[in-house]
Amino acid sequence: MIVYISGVNDNPFSPYPSYMRVLMNCVAFALCFSNKTLFAILYFFSFFCDGLDGWFARKFNQVSTFGAVLDMITDRVSTACLLALLSQLYRPGLIFLSLLGLDIASHWLQMYSSFLSGKTSHKDVKDKSNWLLKAYYGQRLFMAFCCSGSEVLYIILFLLAGNQSESVLDVCLNAMKQSSLLSLILCLTLIGWGIKQVVNIIQMKTAADSCVFYDMKRSR
């Protein structure tokens, strides 16, 4: 979330990150087992504020390196914590732990390769040849659909989880049989989630290639 502080500098609409997202996530995970509904609301609102944060930062030309790094760290940590929870609620839990590892590895490699290339943002993929990666970072609505689909899917799975460990496939199929609306939401979120995982794999591969290319160029 962004807090607007007037009088700090010449721009009365200078946006400053307020750490509200971090606080909301801490409260959400503290209450995740005692109040699932409140957890879902706080977690989703934190995710929604992330989009507003970036939009206001670009609109008022207040994008900062620290803000970009803090934004990614908050995203990765909150998603990692939710995936860790899901790994304990469903079987096989290795699915969610694998998704956690892919998410962190992909973004860490992308950040590091961007740093080696002298770029100011890991979202700068104009020099990449893969069309899906360029579409993902170049079209913000497309990226928002994929990210929202992934996060909403995880929230739904958390809300559907029972007291005992269950098969994630069985839970999804039973939920889709009970409600046509839930079936539609699950299908849409699965599409966004699937595209995001493909992008993560492509991103990890291209970022690793960039690191290798950097070493080869340096050794000449």
Side-chain angles (χ1 to χ4, degrees), residues 64-179:
S64 67
T65 302
F66 175 73
V69 173
L70 180 63
D71 173 67
M72 175 176 280
I73 290 175
T74 306
D75 288 342
R76 302 284 69 76
V77 170
S78 57
T79 302
C81 289
L82 182 51
L83 286 170
L85 279 177
L86 292 174
S87 72
Q88 301 301 306
L89 298 174
Y90 289 98
R91 62 175 195 273
L94 184 60
I95 293 176
F96 298 102
L97 294 179
S98 299
L99 291 171
L100 190 161
L102 174 62
D103 189 53
I104 292 176
S106 173
H107 284 83
W108 191 90
L109 271 169
Q110 179 68 3
M111 281 288 289
Y112 196 77
S113 65
S114 298
F115 171 75
L116 292 177
S117 303
K119 297 176 182 177
T120 57
S121 172
H122 73 284
K123 297 179 181 178
D124 184 357
V125 294
K126 296 174 184 175
D127 59 333
K128 305 298 182 183
S129 58
N130 188 274
W131 66 271
L132 183 58
L133 189 62
K134 288 197 283 191
Y136 181 80
Y137 283 118
Q139 303 296 325
R140 296 195 179 277
L141 285 178
F142 179 54
M143 182 170 66
F145 168 73
C146 296
C147 293
S148 299
S150 185
E151 296 295 331
V152 171
L153 176 62
Y154 295 151
I155 293 174
I156 291 175
L157 288 176
F158 181 78
L159 291 174
L160 291 176
N163 295 325
Q164 295 181 338
S165 180
E166 300 178 87
S167 167
V168 63
L169 183 59
D170 290 343
V171 170
C172 288
L173 290 176
N174 290 334
M176 293 174 75
K177 291 177 182 177
Q178 294 174 7
S179 170

Side-chain angles (χ1 to χ4, degrees), residues 25-40 42-43 81-82 85 89 158-159:
N25 278 326
C26 289
V27 174
F29 282 104
L31 301 173
C32 65
F33 290 115
S34 60
N35 195 329
K36 283 188 173 183
T37 303
L38 182 57
F39 165 82
L42 289 174
Y43 187 94
C81 289
L82 182 51
L85 279 177
L89 298 174
F158 181 78
L159 291 174

